[in-house]
Short mmCIF file of all heavy atoms in Angstrom, two decimals:
data_model
loop_
_atom_site.label_atom_id
_atom_site.label_comp_id
_atom_site.label_asym_id
_atom_site.label_seq_id
_atom_site.Cartn_x
_atom_site.Cartn_y
_atom_site.Cartn_z
N ASP H 64 -14.17 -15.97 -123.47
CA ASP H 64 -15.51 -16.59 -123.62
C ASP H 64 -16.32 -15.98 -124.64
O ASP H 64 -17.49 -16.47 -124.91
CB ASP H 64 -16.24 -16.65 -122.27
CG ASP H 64 -16.66 -15.25 -121.81
OD1 ASP H 64 -16.15 -14.22 -122.41
OD2 ASP H 64 -17.46 -15.16 -120.84
N GLY H 65 -15.88 -14.97 -125.40
CA GLY H 65 -16.61 -14.48 -126.49
C GLY H 65 -17.80 -13.58 -126.19
O GLY H 65 -18.56 -13.29 -127.01
N SER H 66 -18.00 -13.34 -124.90
CA SER H 66 -19.16 -12.52 -124.47
C SER H 66 -18.90 -11.09 -124.81
O SER H 66 -17.77 -10.64 -125.19
CB SER H 66 -19.39 -12.68 -122.93
OG SER H 66 -18.28 -12.23 -122.24
N ALA H 67 -19.98 -10.23 -124.69
CA ALA H 67 -19.89 -8.85 -125.15
C ALA H 67 -18.82 -8.06 -124.24
O ALA H 67 -18.19 -7.07 -124.84
CB ALA H 67 -21.23 -8.15 -124.92
N ASP H 68 -18.57 -8.55 -123.03
CA ASP H 68 -17.62 -7.86 -122.18
C ASP H 68 -16.38 -8.71 -121.94
O ASP H 68 -15.69 -8.50 -120.95
CB ASP H 68 -18.29 -7.47 -120.81
CG ASP H 68 -18.82 -8.63 -120.07
OD1 ASP H 68 -18.81 -9.76 -120.67
OD2 ASP H 68 -19.16 -8.57 -118.94
N SER H 69 -16.04 -9.55 -122.89
CA SER H 69 -14.92 -10.35 -122.72
C SER H 69 -13.58 -9.66 -122.94
O SER H 69 -12.48 -10.13 -122.64
CB SER H 69 -14.95 -11.61 -123.67
OG SER H 69 -14.96 -11.22 -125.01
N ILE H 70 -13.66 -8.38 -123.54
CA ILE H 70 -12.49 -7.62 -123.80
C ILE H 70 -12.49 -6.46 -122.72
O ILE H 70 -13.44 -5.81 -122.54
CB ILE H 70 -12.41 -6.96 -125.15
CG1 ILE H 70 -12.55 -8.13 -126.27
CG2 ILE H 70 -11.13 -6.11 -125.39
CD1 ILE H 70 -11.40 -9.06 -126.15
N MET H 71 -11.34 -6.26 -121.97
CA MET H 71 -11.25 -5.19 -121.01
C MET H 71 -9.99 -4.47 -121.31
O MET H 71 -8.97 -5.06 -121.42
CB MET H 71 -11.30 -5.86 -119.60
CG MET H 71 -10.94 -4.84 -118.51
SD MET H 71 -10.85 -5.72 -116.90
CE MET H 71 -9.99 -4.48 -115.87
N ILE H 72 -10.09 -3.13 -121.47
CA ILE H 72 -8.91 -2.28 -121.75
C ILE H 72 -8.78 -1.30 -120.63
O ILE H 72 -9.69 -0.61 -120.35
CB ILE H 72 -9.06 -1.64 -123.12
CG1 ILE H 72 -9.23 -2.66 -124.26
CG2 ILE H 72 -7.89 -0.76 -123.36
CD1 ILE H 72 -9.47 -2.03 -125.61
N THR H 73 -7.58 -1.29 -120.03
CA THR H 73 -7.32 -0.26 -119.00
C THR H 73 -6.00 0.43 -119.32
O THR H 73 -5.21 -0.02 -120.20
CB THR H 73 -7.21 -0.94 -117.55
OG1 THR H 73 -5.93 -1.72 -117.56
CG2 THR H 73 -8.36 -1.76 -117.32
N LYS H 74 -5.71 1.48 -118.62
CA LYS H 74 -4.49 2.27 -118.79
C LYS H 74 -3.66 2.25 -117.58
O LYS H 74 -2.66 3.05 -117.46
CB LYS H 74 -4.83 3.68 -119.22
CG LYS H 74 -5.40 3.73 -120.60
CD LYS H 74 -5.56 5.07 -121.18
CE LYS H 74 -6.15 5.17 -122.61
NZ LYS H 74 -6.36 6.53 -123.10
N LYS H 75 -3.95 1.38 -116.58
CA LYS H 75 -3.24 1.34 -115.31
C LYS H 75 -2.89 -0.12 -115.07
O LYS H 75 -3.83 -1.01 -115.17
CB LYS H 75 -4.01 1.91 -114.17
CG LYS H 75 -4.31 3.47 -114.25
CD LYS H 75 -5.07 3.89 -113.09
CE LYS H 75 -5.37 5.32 -113.12
NZ LYS H 75 -6.11 5.77 -111.90
N VAL H 76 -1.66 -0.40 -114.71
CA VAL H 76 -1.30 -1.82 -114.41
C VAL H 76 -2.00 -2.21 -113.11
O VAL H 76 -2.20 -3.42 -112.85
CB VAL H 76 0.23 -1.91 -114.21
CG1 VAL H 76 0.64 -1.27 -113.01
CG2 VAL H 76 0.60 -3.35 -114.32
N SER H 77 -2.45 -1.26 -112.31
CA SER H 77 -3.15 -1.58 -111.08
C SER H 77 -4.50 -2.03 -111.21
O SER H 77 -5.19 -2.46 -110.39
CB SER H 77 -2.98 -0.43 -110.08
OG SER H 77 -3.61 0.68 -110.70
N ASP H 78 -5.08 -1.74 -112.48
CA ASP H 78 -6.49 -2.21 -112.77
C ASP H 78 -6.44 -3.67 -113.20
O ASP H 78 -6.22 -3.99 -114.39
CB ASP H 78 -7.10 -1.36 -113.91
CG ASP H 78 -7.35 0.07 -113.44
OD1 ASP H 78 -7.48 0.26 -112.30
OD2 ASP H 78 -7.39 0.95 -114.39
#
Side-chain angles (χ1 to χ4, degrees):
D64 67 347
S66 61
D68 58 349
S69 63
I70 305 296
M71 170 183 166
I72 301 177
T73 70
K74 293 185 178 180
K75 296 179 181 179
V76 73
S77 58
D78 291 336

